[in-house]
Amino acid sequence: MSSIIQLLPDHVANQIAAGEVVQRPASVVKELVENAVDAGATEIKLIVKDAGKTLIQVIDNGKGMSVTDARLCFERHATSKIRHAEDLFSLHTKGFRGEALASIAAIAHVELKTKQDQEELGTHIVIEGSKFVSQDVAVLPRGTSFSVKNLFFNIPARRNFLKSDTVEFRHIVDDFERVALAHPNIHFMLYHNGSEMFNLPQSNLRQRIVNVFGGKTNEKLVPVTESTEIMGIQGFVGKPEFAKKNRGEQFFFVNDRFIKSPYLHHAIMAAYEGLLKDGSQPSYFLYLDVPPHTIDINIHPTKTEIKFDDDQAMYAILRSSIKHSLGQFNVAPVLDFERDSSLDIPYDYKEKESEFPLIQVDANFNPFATETETPSRSFSSSSGGSHSFGSGGSNYNSGYKKQESNASWESLYVGLKTATEEIDLGEIQFESEEVTGSLFDDTEVESAGKRTYQIQKKYIVSPIKSGMMILYQERAHQRILYEQFLTNITVHHAASQQLLFPLELHFSQSEMAMIKELRSSLENTGFVFDAMTSEILVISGLPVNVAESEVNGLLEELIRDLQGDLPESSFSQSDRIAKSMARSLSVKTGTYLTEKEQENIVNSLFACKDPNVSPFNKPTFITMGVEDLDKRFAI
C-alpha cells in the first residue's frame, strides 16, 4: 500500500505560509518598512501604485546586505536576529520570523537592489514566484531597494478577495503611520500613484504626531511621563473636550512596536472616568518602555498582541499616570492646597491697623415730628425799595412765605373707626368661584383628546381601531431619515441651507481622503463644500435637517462606519451613507417630543415604503389588540 503522507514542495509550502504572513498589500508594506528600520536607515521612502496591487517599493539608506545575505534572505526560516531559542524572549528589533521575504517572493514578482557602504558594487536579484530569475552585480547607492510587483499574481482567488483601492490604501496608510509614529528620528515619505501623501522629516515625538494628524492636533495633546521599575511611560493623551466617537487616534507602542491591548485601553478609559460623554473615545499616543524579558511578543502572527508578566501593575501605573497628567494640566478637577499669592496682604499694609468707617447719627431726629414754620424772607434791592413785577398795575411782593403744614401724621387716621364698631361681617360679599366639577385643570382636560403619548421618552403610543400601536421612536425616525437621504442621493434634488459664515473642520489626511471619495454623494444630500485640502474642509451649506453643531460628529461617525470597507458600487455607497447619517441624526432615546412631533413621526413613518423595520432590519413598531389586553386582565 502506497504512503498517504508526503512532504509538500517548497513553492507550495511558501504559498501556504504566505497566507499567514501576507493577508493584503499592507502586510507587505509593514514587513518591508520594519526591515528598513532594523537596517538602521535614517530615510525611508515608500512608493505604492494601485493601492499596492501593482507595485510596492521601499527604498532606504540603511546598511544594506552582502551578496550572500541577499540570496539567503529569501529562504524560509532565515533571519539575522535570532541565534538561540532564548533570543525570542529578549527582542529589540521588529520582524524576526524569517518567513516574510520567502512568503512575499512566493506570490509576487520581487526585485532586490542592495549595497553595503564598504562595497564598491551592489547586488541585483530578480525572483518570480519563488524562482530565481537573475542575480547580477550593479552600481547602486548605499542601502536597499525592495520592489514587489503584481501581488498574488499566481493566486487569483486571493487577489479577487482584496477590497477596493481606497480601502486597501487606507490599510497601507494605517501601517505606515504606526511605524512612522514609533520612530520620529527617521525621515519617512509615502507616494501613491505619483502623488506625495506624506513627507515626515526627522523631528521630536510631538511634532511627528502633529505632522501625521494635522496642525490642529497640537492643542489637543497633554503630555504624560512616568518612570518606574516595571515600565517607563511617555507620550500624550487628548483633552476630554476633543474626544471623538471613533477610535482612530489611539496608539500603544511597547519598545517602539505598535500593539493592541484592550486591557490597557480599559485603564485609560478608567482614568477618563467622569470626563467623557457616553460613546466618546479619547486620543492617546503612549510609548511604554518595558524590559524585553517581561513580555511575550510571539503570540500572534502579526505581532500586534503582547502578553505581559505583570499586567495588573501596569494597569494601575498607567491609570494613575494619566489621571495625574490630566489634573496637572488643569484638564480634570483637582484639589490644590497651595497658597494663592493673589490673596496675600501687600507688604506696605502689613503693619497697619484697619480703619473702621465712622457713622454719624442724629439722636434728635424724629420722622413723625411736626414740621416747624420757616420765617419769611424778603428780597430787597440795594436801595431798600421793593421791586414791582407784572403789568396792569398789579404789584407782586418780592417776599414769599412757605405754606404752613398743619397736617400731622395723626390726621391720616381721622374719620376711621374701629372694625368692631362699624363693620358688619354679614354684609360682606365674596367673589363667587366657578365650580367645574372636574379634578383636572383645562390643559389636562384637553389632553383627553390627544392621539399620541410618549412613554419613558422612548416609545410613542397611538390608539388604533383594534387596540393600540407602540412605536420605537429612534428606529422609526431612522427609517424616515434613511429613505429621505437615499432619495436625495439618487434623485439629486436635495435642498441646502446656506451658512452665514463657512464652517471650517480639521481632519487627518486619511480621513480627508475618504471624504473626497464620498464628496459627490454628500453633495447630493445637501452638503456644499467650498474647499478641500489635505487637512481642512470648508463647508458653506448643509442639509435642511442638519444643525451646524452636528456636522463634525456626523462626518466622524460616517468615517467610522465606512472605516472597514468602502463599497465600490454607487448604490452600495449611497446606501451606507444614508444609513450612517440616519443613525447619527435620528432622535435618541431620552429625547422629549411634543405632541406634534410625535404625530409627525407616526405619519411620516407610514408614508415610507417599508415602515415595518429600521434601516438595520429591526422592528419599528408593534401592535396590541383589545384581545391581548383582555387576556392580560383575564376578562
Side-chain angles (χ1 to χ4, degrees):
M1 185 176 181
S2 59
S3 300
I4 299 176
I5 298 175
Q6 58 183 351
L7 296 176
L8 287 174
D10 288 341
H11 69 280
V12 178
N14 287 337
Q15 289 184 5
I16 295 174
E20 179 184 0
V21 178
V22 184
Q23 299 176 352
R24 56 187 354 135
S27 305
V28 178
V29 171
K30 179 177 182 293
E31 295 290 344
L32 298 183
V33 173
E34 287 183 347
N35 285 340
V37 172
D38 288 340
T42 59
E43 182 178 297
I44 299 175
K45 184 184 296 184
L46 173 60
I47 302 172
V48 178
K49 290 184 179 179
D50 299 331
K53 300 174 183 177
T54 302
L55 172 66
I56 299 173
Q57 185 177 9
V58 177
I59 304 172
D60 67 74
N61 61 350
K63 57 187 177 182
M65 291 183 286
S66 64
V67 178
T68 305
D69 290 342
R71 185 66 180 262
L72 285 176
C73 71
F74 293 102
E75 298 294 332
R76 293 189 65 193
H77 306 298
T79 178
S80 62
K81 304 161 186 175
I82 298 176
R83 294 291 182 268
H84 307 283
E86 291 77 10
D87 294 340
L88 291 172
F89 301 98
S90 182
L91 292 169
H92 299 273
T93 55
K94 302 291 184 182
F96 57 85
R97 288 185 182 276
E99 297 179 1
L101 297 183
S103 300
I104 294 172
I107 55 175
H109 296 163
V110 176
E111 184 177 359
L112 173 63
K113 297 179 181 179
T114 183
K115 173 184 172 296
Q116 292 181 324
D117 193 17
Q118 65 273 15
E119 300 291 336
E120 295 183 358
L121 298 175
T123 305
H124 180 201
I125 296 177
V126 178
I127 302 176
E128 296 180 358
S130 296
K131 296 180 181 179
F132 276 87
V133 176
S134 64
Q135 178 175 343
D136 301 318
V137 177
V139 178
L140 301 171
R142 175 180 180 267
T144 302
S145 173
F146 211 116
S147 301
V148 178
K149 303 176 183 178
N150 303 322
L151 192 65
F152 300 122
F153 79 99
N154 53 355
I155 313 179
R158 191 65 178 271
R159 189 180 181 91
N160 292 335
F161 273 97
L162 294 179
K163 304 295 184 180
S164 63
D165 287 356
T166 304
V167 175
E168 295 298 339
F169 180 67
R170 188 168 65 251
H171 285 288
I172 291 176
V173 170
D174 289 342
D175 284 314
F176 176 82
E177 289 177 349
R178 292 166 183 174
V179 180
L181 290 172
H183 301 278
N185 57 331
I186 300 177
H187 184 188
F188 286 94
M189 291 167 283
L190 172 58
Y191 299 88
H192 184 223
N193 293 337
S195 301
E196 182 181 270
M197 305 301 297
F198 287 95
N199 190 348
L200 309 174
Q202 296 181 1
S203 61
N204 57 24
L205 187 57
R206 189 184 192 112
Q207 188 61 43
R208 175 56 57 86
I209 296 173
V210 172
N211 289 338
V212 172
F213 293 99
K216 200 73 174 178
T217 311
N218 189 35
E219 63 184 66
K220 307 177 184 179
L221 302 179
V222 175
V224 178
T225 304
E226 189 63 52
S227 179
T228 64
E229 296 180 356
I230 298 176
M231 68 174 180
I233 305 174
Q234 66 171 343
F236 302 90
V237 295
K239 297 179 181 178
E241 59 265 29
F242 295 104
K244 298 182 177 181
K245 292 185 178 181
N246 58 2
R247 300 177 59 174
E249 298 180 2
Q250 296 180 347
F251 295 88
F252 272 122
F253 298 93
V254 175
N255 298 347
D256 293 335
R257 181 192 297 274
F258 172 79
I259 67 161
K260 297 178 181 178
S261 176
Y263 186 69
L264 296 182
H265 172 75
H266 189 274
I268 294 179
M269 297 303 294
Y272 276 91
E273 185 178 2
L275 300 177
L276 298 176
K277 298 179 181 179
D278 292 339
S280 297
Q281 293 288 333
S283 302
Y284 55 81
F285 309 87
L286 296 175
Y287 298 76
L288 312 181
D289 187 11
V290 182
H293 65 275
T294 63
I295 58 177
D296 184 6
I297 302 174
N298 198 21
I299 64 172
H300 193 273
T302 59
K303 301 183 287 293
T304 57
E305 296 181 9
I306 290 182
K307 183 179 180 181
F308 300 96
D309 285 351
D310 195 356
D311 50 0
Q312 293 183 355
M314 294 181 66
Y315 183 101
I317 295 172
L318 186 61
R319 177 178 176 272
S320 60
S321 300
I322 295 176
K323 286 185 71 71
H324 174 72
S325 295
L326 292 176
Q328 184 179 5
F329 290 90
N330 298 326
V331 175
V334 294
L335 291 176
D336 188 4
F337 296 102
E338 295 184 0
R339 176 175 52 85
D340 189 352
S341 59
S342 64
L343 300 179
D344 291 347
I345 299 176
Y347 181 77
D348 294 340
Y349 295 88
K350 189 173 183 180
E351 303 298 333
K352 291 186 178 181
E353 295 182 356
S354 59
E355 297 180 0
F356 294 95
L358 299 178
I359 301 175
Q360 296 181 354
V361 180
D362 185 5
N364 298 323
F365 174 74
N366 184 2
F368 303 104
T370 304
E371 295 184 9
T372 59
E373 295 183 4
T374 57
S376 61
R377 297 178 184 179
S378 61
F379 294 88
S380 61
S381 65
S382 57
S383 60
S386 63
H387 294 273
S388 175
F389 296 91
S391 61
S394 61
N395 294 330
Y396 181 82
N397 191 355
S398 62
Y400 73 93
K401 181 183 292 185
K402 185 178 181 181
Q403 293 183 356
E404 296 181 357
S405 178
N406 296 326
S408 62
W409 65 274
E410 290 90 350
S411 63
L412 297 174
Y413 300 95
V414 175
L416 294 179
K417 298 181 179 180
T418 61
T420 57
E421 294 178 356
E422 298 292 336
I423 298 177
D424 186 3
L425 297 178
E427 297 179 357
I428 298 178
Q429 295 181 356
F430 296 95
E431 183 179 357
S432 62
E433 294 183 358
E434 181 181 356
V435 180
T436 61
S438 173
L439 298 177
F440 305 97
D441 57 13
D442 293 342
T443 58
E444 292 177 339
V445 172
E446 292 177 358
S447 66
K450 290 179 62 176
R451 299 184 59 185
T452 59
Y453 303 88
Q454 189 180 25
I455 300 177
Q456 297 294 324
K457 298 180 181 179
K458 185 176 183 180
Y459 300 105
I460 298 175
V461 179
S462 178
I464 55 178
K465 292 183 179 180
S466 60
M468 64 178 178
M469 176 180 59
I470 304 175
L471 279 79
Y472 197 128
Q473 67 182 32
E474 183 174 357
R475 295 179 185 175
H477 200 212
Q478 285 178 359
R479 164 55 63 177
I480 297 168
L481 294 177
Y482 167 74
E483 293 198 3
Q484 289 179 358
F485 286 127
L486 193 60
T487 302
N488 293 338
I489 295 174
T490 54
V491 183
H492 310 285
H493 73 282
S496 298
Q497 51 179 342
Q498 296 299 314
L499 298 177
L500 183 60
F501 301 101
L503 185 62
E504 185 175 300
L505 303 177
H506 295 261
F507 294 95
S508 64
Q509 293 190 15
S510 59
E511 291 173 339
M512 282 300 303
M514 182 177 294
I515 293 176
K516 290 178 181 178
E517 292 287 333
L518 304 174
R519 178 170 184 170
S520 60
S521 297
L522 291 174
E523 287 177 342
N524 292 334
T525 63
F527 282 96
V528 179
F529 300 106
D530 274 2
M532 279 189 180
T533 64
S534 60
E535 298 177 359
I536 299 176
L537 178 67
V538 181
I539 301 175
S540 61
L542 300 175
V544 177
N545 50 0
V546 177
E548 187 174 347
S549 59
E550 299 174 332
V551 178
N552 196 22
L554 173 65
L555 294 178
E556 286 182 359
E557 192 161 347
L558 177 62
I559 293 172
R560 183 192 65 181
D561 292 340
L562 298 176
Q563 205 98 41
D565 186 15
L566 186 63
E568 296 183 7
S569 64
S570 59
F571 176 77
S572 299
Q573 187 180 114
S574 302
D575 182 69
R576 296 281 292 275
I577 294 175
K579 286 181 178 178
S580 178
M581 294 180 65
R583 180 165 52 192
S584 300
L585 299 174
S586 60
V587 292
K588 304 297 186 290
T589 298
T591 303
Y592 170 76
L593 299 177
T594 64
E595 183 180 355
K596 291 184 178 179
E597 291 173 337
Q598 297 170 25
E599 292 182 358
N600 185 41
I601 289 181
V602 174
N603 297 331
S604 299
L605 175 64
F606 290 98
C608 294
K609 295 180 180 179
D610 189 4
N612 297 317
V613 293
S614 72
F616 308 97
N617 294 323
K618 294 182 179 179
T620 57
F621 69 91
I622 60 172
T623 58
M624 292 187 66
V626 178
E627 299 82 3
D628 298 330
L629 296 176
D630 291 341
K631 292 179 181 178
R632 293 281 184 174
F633 290 100
I635 295 178

